[in-house]
Amino acid sequence: MSRRYDSRTTMFSPEGRLYQVEYAMEAIGNAGTCLGILASDGIVLACEKRITNKLLDEIFETEKLYRLSADMVCSVAGITSDANILVNELRHIAQRYQLQYQEPMPCEQLVSQLCDIKQTYTQFGGKRPFGVSLLYAGWDPHYGLQLYQSDPSGNFSGWKATCIGANNAQAMSTLESEFKEGITLEDAVPLAIKIMHKIMDQNKLTAEKLELATVTRSDDKTKMTIIPREKLEKLISEREKLAAAEKQK
Amino acid sequence: MSISEYNGSAIVAMAGKDCVALATDTRFGISFKTVSTDFDRVYKMGPRIYMGMAGLVTDMYTVSARLRFRLNLYELRENRPVAPRVFFSMITNLLYERRFGSYFSAPVVAALDPVNGKPLIAAYDCIGDLEVVNDFFADGTSTEQLLGICETLWKPNMDSEELYEVISQCLLNAQDSDALAGWGAQVYIIEKDKVTKKTLKARLD
């Protein structure tokens, strides 16, 4: 372990690793899970809420889901205060593009520009990287509905279904077997609940611990709908019934 | 002609009883040459906030785009539509930033207060002097004509039907005396439950 190469974010280790970036990803691996599935007619984002103290005042609509522009939303996993900075920057990037070109910003470009900023923290300055991974769900007229993921290194990629945060490896392997091409939103939402239910095995999945949103297009507008608590409770209890039935077989 | 008369425009906003109307002409000209006869000067900035802009058209585009930028960020951060009085302040701030090199375009905003449904009209000069008026306001190249006829025809507490008739007659007759404005009119009547847009035929000269 070459610890002497740890503290400088901007230096490689002899094995060719950037330790600070990897440590940032460690931090995210302990944070609340975020799952995204790109269906043919919409995108579902499901997030595990970690802050569920009953003394908390509910000022914000959502804890992990943020609107970035009229056509894009994102969910975050990791250090919330770092996430707030990045979300603010994303909103400004999108508006600057809209001001300059009088057109909404294409999804990939928004992700790409933020990732360029994140990358600079791994190469210059001596500041630590942001301890946040993000899932972006959006629509643009060039490529339709899209789902992207970015991490502290500044890498990003487009996905049909992906997961970040705690237990993401388990979720990804389940997605690999259960995700079908051409899945509709109607099936994607229960699938998301199923996976969240599976990975939050130790802590029981309840509607208070879950935030679920769908991104759809209708009437030439992009809509982000946050599923209300009653509907979530219904979906979760349906899932639990199915799980109990499967166990009995 | 001065720079704010270069493109020509006629805008009037009028308050009624729990309703407000905004009317603009539809001529876009380059000095005395008419280039477009169906030019849109009105921007919707909120569910019951409509902004018409008079003056130089290139500045109209820039001011409204910059305002849209600030408004979008506001609504994303605060997670709610902007309140009319806050929006009025936003405009003042944007225009005054250019105090010594101003935009040559000024907005006229017609809005309905979301809390009590009362009409709000915001009047500006090109460097952001805000006055909230409760009768009517006019701007553009036909201001004198518009103010004269509005003073005569306006009365308080008109319902939306009468307000529409009055504002239409004021605009159509005022712009007829102005070479640089006219060629049609757009009237927006903003009420609590709906917003109606009407396009009027005018003298085509």
Side-chain angles (χ1 to χ4, degrees):
Chain A
M1 266 295 192
S2 319
R3 289 265 180 221
R4 69 183 80 162
Y5 299 99
D6 279 3
S7 45
R8 286 286 181 83
T9 63
T10 54
M11 284 177 69
F12 281 111
S13 76
E15 299 94 48
R17 295 158 69 173
L18 291 168
Y19 280 118
Q20 283 298 308
V21 176
E22 290 183 21
Y23 296 159
M25 307 221 212
E26 267 298 306
I28 295 159
N30 297 326
T33 317
C34 283
L35 174 69
I37 302 175
L38 175 64
S40 58
D41 55 341
I43 307 171
V44 57
L45 289 175
C47 310
E48 176 199 351
K49 288 204 278 200
R50 282 285 171 92
I51 312 171
T52 49
N53 192 323
K54 67 176 183 187
L55 290 174
L56 273 173
D57 196 6
E58 286 174 359
I59 341 171
F60 302 113
E61 194 188 4
T62 54
E63 178 192 307
K64 309 221 345 156
L65 291 161
Y66 298 90
R67 270 171 242 261
L68 300 178
S69 70
D71 295 302
M72 277 195 81
V73 306
C74 76
S75 67
V76 304
I79 303 173
T80 311
S81 46
D82 284 8
N84 286 337
I85 303 290
L86 292 178
V87 166
N88 209 22
E89 190 57 41
L90 281 161
R91 287 172 171 166
H92 280 79
I93 295 171
Q95 288 307 312
R96 271 180 237 133
Y97 185 99
Q98 164 95 47
L99 178 61
Q100 191 168 13
Y101 299 105
Q102 291 296 294
E103 233 189 44
M105 188 167 195
C107 300
E108 189 177 339
Q109 282 195 46
L110 179 58
V111 177
S112 170
Q113 278 199 26
L114 185 79
C115 286
D116 287 348
I117 296 172
K118 289 208 266 186
Q119 187 277 342
T120 64
Y121 286 79
T122 71
Q123 198 174 20
F124 315 103
K127 297 188 186 150
R128 65 164 176 84
F130 290 96
V132 195
S133 275
L134 296 105
L135 286 184
Y136 311 79
W139 181 92
D140 65 42
H142 313 287
Y143 295 106
L145 290 164
Q146 297 150 75
L147 177 66
Y148 292 94
Q149 175 196 326
S150 74
D151 60 32
S153 66
N155 269 328
F156 74 93
S157 33
W159 293 84
K160 295 173 195 170
T162 187
C163 185
I164 53 177
N167 298 318
N168 67 325
Q170 191 186 354
M172 287 297 273
S173 63
T174 317
L175 278 170
E176 271 164 40
S177 48
E178 307 245 354
F179 177 81
K180 301 279 175 292
E181 282 288 339
I183 188 174
T184 59
L185 203 58
E186 208 186 322
D187 295 325
V189 172
L191 176 59
I193 302 258
K194 176 178 177 181
I195 297 176
M196 293 301 277
H197 184 257
K198 211 173 188 179
I199 60 182
M200 286 164 76
D201 213 34
Q202 311 92 339
N203 320 302
K204 192 167 141 49
L205 176 66
T206 61
E208 283 114 29
K209 293 223 185 97
L210 191 62
E211 235 164 49
L212 207 142
T214 57
V215 178
T216 49
R217 273 297 281 188
S218 63
D219 298 327
D220 279 340
K221 282 207 172 85
T222 310
K223 291 197 170 90
M224 167 166 118
T225 321
I226 297 171
I227 309 290
R229 181 164 295 190
E230 306 82 44
K231 181 107 194 281
L232 273 182
E233 279 167 3
K234 207 163 132 268
L235 286 163
I236 293 173
S237 64
E238 271 167 26
R239 177 65 234 153
E240 284 172 349
K241 279 195 209 124
L242 280 169
E246 276 163 27
K247 257 198 185 139
Q248 282 187 347
K249 278 194 200 154
Chain B
M1 59 175 72
S2 86
I3 188 66
S4 41
E5 292 161 8
Y6 188 66
N7 297 129
S9 54
I11 310 205
V12 56
M14 237 183 225
K17 185 171 171 46
D18 300 332
C19 58
V20 68
L22 180 67
T24 66
D25 76 319
T26 54
R27 176 185 179 272
F28 166 55
I30 296 176
S31 184
F32 286 113
K33 179 163 58 187
T34 303
V35 175
S36 170
T37 57
D38 58 3
F39 189 70
D40 195 357
R41 294 201 153 78
V42 179
Y43 293 89
K44 180 180 173 184
M45 305 304 276
R48 297 288 178 274
I49 304 177
Y50 283 75
M51 178 176 82
M53 294 201 71
L56 195 64
V57 163
T58 178
D59 283 353
M60 176 188 95
Y61 286 139
T62 303
V63 170
S64 57
R66 295 223 158 144
L67 211 45
R68 173 65 56 201
F69 179 101
R70 296 184 192 199
L71 185 60
N72 284 348
L73 281 171
Y74 179 96
E75 296 190 340
L76 282 168
R77 253 199 314 272
E78 310 238 346
N79 219 1
R80 59 189 173 91
V82 74
R85 286 189 186 273
V86 173
F87 181 63
F88 297 166
S89 301
M90 224 188 257
I91 298 177
T92 298
N93 185 256
L94 192 148
L95 294 173
Y96 198 81
E97 277 177 4
R98 293 276 171 272
R99 171 64 178 81
F100 300 110
S102 73
Y103 292 112
F104 296 115
S105 175
V108 177
V109 191
L112 230 48
D113 192 325
V115 171
N116 57 21
K118 293 278 170 268
L120 287 166
I121 296 176
Y124 295 90
D125 66 5
C126 62
I127 50 172
D129 170 31
L130 165 65
E131 294 290 333
V132 179
V133 303
N134 46 27
D135 45 8
F136 55 85
F137 185 70
D139 206 347
T141 49
S142 328
T143 313
E144 267 130 59
Q145 296 92 321
L146 276 165
L147 288 176
I149 193 169
C150 286
E151 286 282 8
T152 315
L153 294 184
W154 185 85
K155 54 188 206 283
N157 292 322
M158 287 186 278
D159 67 24
S160 61
E161 297 280 318
E162 208 188 340
L163 183 66
Y164 164 63
E165 288 298 328
V166 169
I167 200 175
S168 306
Q169 287 305 314
C170 285
L171 181 63
L172 287 174
N173 289 293
Q175 71 189 26
D176 284 348
S177 292
D178 181 6
L180 300 170
W183 283 92
Q186 274 181 4
V187 185
Y188 288 78
I189 301 115
I190 302 153
E191 299 170 78
K192 183 162 176 248
D193 52 348
K194 64 183 195 296
V195 175
T196 334
K197 176 186 170 185
K198 297 205 167 102
T199 312
L200 307 176
K201 277 210 174 96
R203 279 187 63 100
L204 306 178
D205 60 7

